[in-house]
Amino acid sequence: MSPKQPWVHVETHPIPIEFQEAIGGHPLVAHTLYERGYRTVDEALAFLDPDLYHPSSAFDLPDMERGCDLLTRAISEQACILVWGDFDVDGQTATTLLVEGLRGLGANVRYHIPVRAKESHGIRKEVLKAQLVQGFDLLLTCDTGITEFESLQWVRNLDIPIIVTDHHLLAERMPPADAVINPQRLEEGHPLRTLPGVGVAYQLIEGLYASLGRELDLGRLQELVALGIVSDVAEQRGDTRYLLQRGLKSLRKTSRVGLIRLFENAELNPGLINEGHIGFQIAPRLNAVGRLGDANPMVEFLTTQDKSEARRLATLIEGMNIKRRSETRQVERGAEAQLQASSDDRHAPAIVLHHPGWPGGVVGIVASRLVERYHKPVILLTGEDPISGSARSVPGLHITEAIGAQSDLLNNFGGHPMAAGLSLPVAHYPAFKRRFLATVEAQLPSGAVGEPIEIAGSLRLDELDLALVREISRLGPFGQGNPALNFRVNDLRVVAESTVGIEREHRQVTVADKENNELRLIWWNGADERLPEAQFDLVCQLTESDYKGTPQLSAEWIDFQLSEAGKVEIASRQVELIDYRASLHSQDQLAQLVLESPRALIWGEGDLPNAIHFKGRHELEKNPHLVIWTAPPSQTVLQHVLELVQPKQVTVFAVEPGIGELHAFMSRLGSAAKYALNNLGGRASIERLGATCAADESAVRTGLLLWEARGMLSVNFKGEEVHIRADRPEADFDASALLETMLKELLEESRAYRRYFHQVELRSIINR
């Protein structure tokens, strides 16, 4: 079980009356600003309102003037500029911003974003050679380059000018470039110091246009900067916060058709886009492409004005995002299994795990989740030899320095205080793990727990309203350096809950107090977490959302702990299990069970015997006796069913549903889609389609996208529903091939889970 984070109520101090009067509104706003170090009225107002902030000059950055001169000469001579980016969202947006800005000046520009699976981060010499065959006259990096000594020296030896723009930590020496534009070269506390890679690229383009006396559409570029700031978790200080505020405002009325299409797919109202939407819905989609495929098309996606091209690329992004979710789930469960199997790993000061088959594109995501769950540094490694992976840290440990202390065992490494990447020979793994754990133990306090959850105040449910939320939102956007406010609500009970999301990975929970006031919350990635089984106290965050055009209060579940009354109330519960998985006469035994227990709820999906009344997952309701006829496609579906039915007795047969292969699955899904078109106005529940096909809902979504890519029908996902249209889009053979591969992997994952379900100890996966 993961350790609990301590709850700490923020101490407040008296603030000057003139400060409160100048800030106005709810006293909480002024108190929060004052406690976070904004002690003068001018500082506080500039924090709240970007119109009152005075942005820094781009030329505060070292080598900015030199970089602008080199680009000016290249543009005037029509020399070929090669922009070299990175595959995460910060790198994608930085590349796009430079390409768009330079083309606006008539520059001859080409770009390259490394393909993660082949190149990893950075500048590979063999790829540079291929680029030289095409020819380029100036190399311009973004979000990379600060430690690429060998590759850059090779370019320098060819007398090709180099401009490095990056934001990563400086090495002991500067790279061999004509200009190195990196905010880490500025003094601590400088307003430009916390810019991400796209922020540095923005400063270069802004400085270049200013030096040429040219007009620049700042808002259009600030949209890209906002995406990079949030996705790279840049600290919101000075110009970084200012650019995020400006960028969010521009994003809400963006003219980029790719982003407009992405917003539609994510079911986002563009006019209400905020930092949370970027962090949880937009950035993961864009990152999925870079993590699992080739991010170079993202520059076209972010710049195209062709709606059909935007639609095609958006469909690919959705497919990649489904694959990312699936692979993330696999790696997370694999990592948890390793942890539970090793007492040494569970009790170590950090988590360091390796599996040769983990997809490298998602280990960083899983590492972040494990940090949130266990509140200790995490390194997850994959591959056979060499092995490589990602690291995530906790406050108090500079993860890159801790890894660097073992540099004699590594091939390479790099990163930030809170995140890093590394590679090493597999033979060095045991020594690296031992020494890294010793380094962490020496630097972090013994018995350290998670960073405290700071609570801004305690509220009652009847005190929560939109007026309060709108006052809190004045402090936004929230993020690194400006955390969202946490509120405590005491003496609650759970009155309803359901799993939501494409993978059913989130929970929607309704809680009530003693006066029966209710609040509905979203618990991100909470589907596999245990709900409080008795009265409890809650920590939550409050935001405003939009439902069909109507503003409403939204709440996010952060943490809970049983109240004293809840601790007294809690009692253990056991489910009675009856195991018929090894039976050779399953249908006869099921028929006998129906006679003996006519009120039992029989859950079955796929190819089913005709004489028995089965119910799909979309038809289930509370019942003391659940019969599991077909083996479920995933633990997520099983858990969802158990939570719906809340049985006291479970009888398990676990027969095969009979439609696990691609052709059979697509045929069944196609028939269900045709039925929806002919009888339901084209509307169908994803859950019902999953029951019809005996499949996980991610497979259903991927299968529908595959039918669309084959040019057979059009689909539009709306929450837990899909709208199917008979109009046939043009077939996209590249997307079709990709989606078919992804679907085969998803179906194989379900087959693997069913094999596991046939042999696992039932008590370990079926409980209350």
Side-chain angles (χ1 to χ4, degrees):
M1 180 177 292
S2 59
K4 282 287 187 181
Q5 295 172 265
W7 294 4
V8 177
H9 286 262
V10 177
E11 290 188 33
T12 58
H13 302 89
I15 62 175
I17 294 175
E18 59 272 17
F19 188 88
Q20 172 65 65
E21 290 176 345
I23 302 305
H26 197 289
L28 181 64
V29 177
H31 275 281
T32 301
L33 288 167
Y34 202 78
E35 295 299 331
R36 292 184 177 180
Y38 299 93
R39 298 297 175 90
T40 71
V41 170
D42 287 346
E43 283 180 327
L45 291 177
F47 180 90
L48 296 175
D49 185 355
D51 289 340
L52 300 178
Y53 180 82
H54 300 290
S56 303
S57 168
F59 291 93
D60 284 359
L61 287 162
D63 286 351
M64 177 61 73
E65 187 171 350
R66 175 64 174 152
C68 290
D69 288 344
L70 288 168
L71 288 173
T72 299
R73 185 181 311 135
I75 293 169
S76 66
E77 296 173 356
Q78 277 296 286
C80 179
I81 302 169
L82 175 62
V83 176
W84 195 289
D86 194 29
F87 50 75
D88 64 7
V89 176
D90 190 24
Q92 293 174 25
T93 52
T95 305
T96 302
L97 191 150
L98 289 175
V99 169
E100 190 169 87
L102 290 169
R103 284 177 176 169
L105 294 171
N108 176 14
V109 187
R110 196 169 76 247
Y111 59 88
H112 175 72
I113 296 176
V115 178
R116 189 190 189 285
K118 299 177 181 178
E119 304 170 55
S120 189
H121 295 280
I123 305 172
R124 294 291 172 264
K125 195 172 179 181
E126 60 273 17
V127 184
L128 265 178
K129 289 180 179 178
Q131 292 291 337
L132 276 168
V133 171
Q134 298 181 57
F136 64 89
D137 305 300
L138 185 150
L139 178 62
L140 170 59
T141 77
C142 55
D143 196 32
T144 190
I146 199 66
T147 59
E148 296 294 327
F149 303 106
E150 183 179 349
S151 294
L152 294 183
Q153 186 61 58
W154 187 70
V155 175
R156 187 73 175 270
N157 292 342
L158 297 173
D159 292 326
I160 296 175
I162 302 169
I163 304 171
V164 169
T165 74
D166 201 351
H167 71 115
H168 293 97
L169 295 176
L170 304 177
E172 293 181 358
R173 57 193 173 99
M174 299 297 283
D178 297 270
V180 179
I181 304 172
N182 187 324
Q184 297 301 313
R185 298 180 67 187
L186 297 167
E187 67 274 11
E188 288 281 353
H190 191 285
L192 297 174
R193 172 92 178 187
T194 64
L195 288 174
V198 67
V200 183
Y202 172 87
Q203 297 296 326
L204 176 59
I205 292 299
E206 185 183 38
L208 178 61
Y209 272 69
S211 66
L212 294 173
R214 297 286 294 273
E215 292 291 325
L216 180 62
D217 184 351
L218 294 176
R220 181 173 171 84
L221 299 187
Q222 288 164 354
E223 298 171 4
L224 300 174
V225 180
L227 295 175
I229 288 171
V230 175
S231 66
D232 220 51
V233 199
E235 186 177 358
Q236 286 190 36
R237 297 287 181 184
D239 282 61
T240 303
R241 176 174 172 82
Y242 165 78
L243 288 170
L244 176 56
Q245 289 170 308
R246 289 291 196 206
L248 284 170
K249 184 177 180 180
S250 294
L251 268 177
R252 292 168 189 144
K253 54 181 187 299
T254 184
S255 61
R256 297 180 188 273
V257 295
L259 287 179
I260 292 170
R261 182 67 188 182
L262 187 148
F263 295 164
E264 291 175 1
N265 288 344
E267 299 180 51
L268 296 175
N269 180 342
L272 295 175
I273 293 293
N274 61 34
E275 69 278 11
H277 296 128
I278 296 176
F280 290 103
Q281 293 174 273
I282 299 170
R285 283 173 161 82
L286 300 178
N287 257 330
V289 179
R291 290 179 181 276
L292 305 179
D294 181 353
N296 282 280
M298 299 310 297
V299 177
E300 175 69 14
F301 176 73
L302 291 169
T303 57
T304 185
Q305 294 302 311
D306 184 332
K307 291 184 178 180
S308 62
E309 178 67 1
R311 176 189 174 94
R312 184 185 74 82
L313 290 170
T315 298
L316 282 174
I317 290 170
E318 288 303 302
M320 285 288 190
N321 193 44
I322 292 171
K323 183 178 182 181
R324 173 193 64 83
R325 289 170 178 267
S326 174
E327 292 188 349
T328 299
R329 180 178 61 190
Q330 293 177 47
V331 174
E332 186 172 2
R333 288 177 178 167
E336 283 288 359
Q338 284 195 34
L339 275 178
Q340 300 313 313
S342 169
S343 177
D344 288 344
D345 283 334
R346 287 199 307 275
H347 295 98
I351 295 171
V352 183
L353 303 173
H354 167 244
H355 189 285
W358 284 341
V362 300
V363 291
I365 300 173
V366 177
S368 295
R369 291 188 181 177
L370 294 179
V371 168
E372 291 176 6
R373 188 171 301 150
Y374 293 98
H375 316 300
K376 58 175 71 174
V378 176
I379 298 178
L380 297 184
L381 298 162
T382 184
E384 295 185 353
D385 195 10
I387 60 177
S388 60
S390 295
R392 299 293 185 268
S393 195
V394 296
L397 179 77
H398 193 305
I399 194 79
T400 303
E401 291 181 354
I403 291 170
Q406 337 307 327
S407 61
D408 58 304
L409 299 174
L410 305 176
N411 292 336
N412 52 66
F413 72 98
H416 309 284
M418 299 298 289
L422 67 158
S423 172
L424 66 155
V426 70
H428 291 177
Y429 173 64
F432 169 80
K433 182 173 182 177
R434 182 178 64 254
R435 284 171 45 181
F436 175 77
L437 292 177
T439 299
V440 172
E441 191 167 32
Q443 294 188 21
L444 285 179
S446 177
V449 294
E451 187 178 11
I453 296 176
E454 292 191 346
I455 298 173
S458 294
L459 297 169
R460 301 187 312 273
L461 290 188
D462 60 2
E463 294 179 304
L464 307 184
D465 58 25
L466 277 176
L468 173 63
V469 171
R470 286 168 178 166
E471 280 295 304
I472 295 168
S473 69
R474 294 174 60 199
L475 294 163
F478 298 107
Q480 187 75 12
N482 185 43
L485 301 188
N486 296 310
F487 295 96
R488 178 172 181 161
V489 189
N490 292 332
D491 301 328
L492 302 174
R493 66 184 186 280
V494 174
V495 295
E497 68 86 25
S498 61
T499 53
V500 295
I502 293 176
E503 300 284 342
R504 295 281 181 187
E505 69 271 40
H506 312 303
R507 278 189 193 273
Q508 190 167 272
V509 187
T510 302
V511 301
D513 60 18
K514 294 176 181 177
E515 288 74 39
N516 292 321
N517 298 302
E518 292 190 355
L519 175 68
R520 188 165 64 180
L521 305 102
I522 185 71
W523 187 354
W524 300 113
N525 296 308
D528 294 329
E529 303 292 339
R530 292 183 69 88
L531 283 166
E533 298 175 353
Q535 190 182 91
F536 66 99
D537 302 334
L538 173 73
V539 176
C540 64
Q541 294 176 1
L542 305 173
T543 58
E544 181 178 352
S545 62
D546 170 84
Y547 180 70
K548 296 183 178 179
T550 302
Q552 63 178 18
L553 183 149
S554 292
E556 179 182 343
W557 184 295
I558 301 299
D559 198 14
F560 79 91
Q561 60 186 22
L562 290 176
S563 64
E564 290 305 316
K567 293 175 184 177
V568 174
E569 175 190 343
I570 196 71
S572 62
R573 302 180 180 97
Q574 286 289 323
V575 175
E576 179 186 355
L577 294 174
I578 302 172
D579 188 356
Y580 286 144
R581 289 177 297 175
S583 172
L584 299 177
H585 308 286
S586 297
Q587 290 197 31
D588 292 340
Q589 287 175 313
L590 178 61
Q592 184 63 32
L593 185 151
V594 171
L595 290 174
E596 295 173 355
S597 305
R599 295 186 178 180
L601 191 156
I602 306 173
W603 173 38
E605 299 177 350
D607 293 334
L608 301 169
N610 293 324
I612 305 295
H613 178 62
F614 294 91
K615 288 193 174 184
R617 71 192 77 160
H618 60 294
E619 302 170 299
L620 302 180
E621 57 192 14
K622 190 172 181 180
N623 192 297
H625 188 181
L626 171 66
V627 179
I628 301 177
W629 175 248
T630 46
S634 68
Q635 182 67 26
T636 301
V637 171
L638 173 64
Q639 193 65 33
H640 175 58
V641 167
L642 292 171
E643 289 168 356
L644 281 174
V645 180
Q646 299 179 38
K648 296 180 179 178
Q649 181 181 14
V650 178
T651 301
V652 180
F653 288 93
V655 303
E656 287 295 320
I659 47 175
E661 298 297 331
L662 178 68
H663 178 75
F665 172 82
M666 288 298 290
S667 177
R668 177 69 68 98
L669 181 60
S671 296
K674 184 176 180 181
Y675 178 86
L677 274 171
N678 294 335
N679 299 280
L680 303 174
R683 301 166 74 95
S685 157
I686 298 294
E687 186 176 46
R688 182 168 187 163
L689 291 174
T692 300
C693 299
D696 201 81
E697 292 176 21
S698 58
V700 171
R701 290 176 183 266
T702 305
L704 290 169
L705 288 172
L706 177 54
W707 276 124
E708 181 177 61
R710 289 176 175 178
M712 302 304 293
L713 48 80
S714 294
V715 297
N716 187 21
F717 297 105
K718 295 289 185 182
E720 303 306 313
E721 275 195 347
V722 60
H723 296 182
I724 304 169
R725 300 188 306 277
D727 54 293
R728 296 190 170 193
E730 183 179 350
D732 186 332
F733 297 107
D734 290 340
S736 178
L738 172 65
L739 290 165
E740 185 171 314
T741 299
M742 291 168 52
L743 182 55
K744 287 179 179 177
E745 292 174 357
L746 290 169
L747 294 176
E748 174 53 36
E749 182 185 343
S750 288
R751 287 194 294 271
Y753 179 79
R754 288 185 170 112
R755 291 192 294 270
Y756 164 77
F757 188 81
H758 272 283
Q759 61 188 20
V760 69
E761 168 58 44
L762 289 177
R763 181 68 62 190
S764 68
I765 59 172
I766 298 178
N767 54 56
R768 286 278 299 278

